[in-house]
Amino acid sequence: MDSLAALLSNIPPAAAYAVLAAAIIGESILLVGAFIPTLVLMLTAGALARTGSLNLCGVIAVAAGAVMIGDALGHRTGRLLGRRLRTAKLGRRIPASAWHRAETLMNKRAGQTLLIFRFIPVMRTVAPHMAGVTGLTYRRIAPYSALGSVAWACVESGAGYTAAFSLQHVT
């Protein structure tokens, strides 16, 4: 995390915000959440906000906006690919009962699912895609995406901000 913090603190703030947004959008639409350390980036950005290198409200706004863009693009991807996701090589490895449970959950509680899954790695990436696959309109999940994105951005960057504050008092 020190090298990541050094990288973000050694580039101009505008570039740091762009890196943060690109990583979050990449996690959301590319289904590579395990390879993009958004938690580390958010904690680092929060810590940098505490040191004055970045603005905490800016970090939250950029992250929340990126999540909403990522959710919209993920939903769109799921909508376009639809059932082909099931029949693809990876999709065939998932049991039919799991697909059915996911569809049932999305049809009954799509918004709440999206909101809760925002805090669960991998699931936060898959949920908007599944909403699109099941044919839900983005309008139905958009309010939950907005609420979840702001809450997630506040919690993760706030944790980094608080940790940096606490660390300053320890040293």
Side-chain angles (χ1 to χ4, degrees):
M1 187 163 144
D2 289 336
S3 63
L4 187 57
L7 170 71
L8 284 180
S9 65
N10 290 328
I11 60 176
Y17 292 126
V19 166
L20 185 63
I24 292 169
I25 291 170
E27 177 194 42
S28 298
I29 60 172
L30 299 177
L31 298 172
V32 291
F35 304 110
I36 298 176
T38 54
L39 173 61
V40 174
L41 281 172
M42 289 298 291
L43 292 173
T44 301
L48 290 173
R50 176 68 189 144
T51 66
S53 299
L54 297 176
N55 180 289
L56 184 61
C57 291
V59 169
I60 292 169
V62 166
V67 167
M68 290 176 9
I69 290 168
D71 281 357
L73 292 172
H75 176 271
R76 184 75 176 151
T77 302
R79 189 98 181 206
L80 290 174
L81 295 179
R83 302 284 176 201
R84 287 181 281 179
L85 288 175
R86 277 188 176 194
T87 58
K89 187 175 182 178
L90 183 62
R92 287 191 306 259
R93 291 182 167 190
I94 300 171
S97 60
W99 281 108
H100 180 69
R101 282 194 308 268
E103 283 184 353
T104 301
L105 182 62
M106 277 297 157
N107 286 323
K108 287 185 179 180
R109 304 210 184 283
Q112 296 92 334
T113 301
L114 203 72
L115 181 64
I116 292 167
F117 282 2
R118 169 60 29 209
F119 294 91
I120 303 170
V122 179
M123 296 310 294
R124 69 171 151 245
T125 303
V126 173
H129 288 82
M130 279 305 298
V133 167
T134 58
L136 295 173
T137 62
Y138 186 71
R139 188 178 344 177
R140 182 170 170 197
I141 64 170
Y144 296 97
S145 175
L147 180 62
S149 67
V150 172
W152 176 80
C154 287
V155 167
E156 292 206 353
S157 63
Y161 188 90
T162 303
F165 178 75
S166 298
L167 196 59
Q168 285 177 341
H169 283 55
V170 171
T171 58

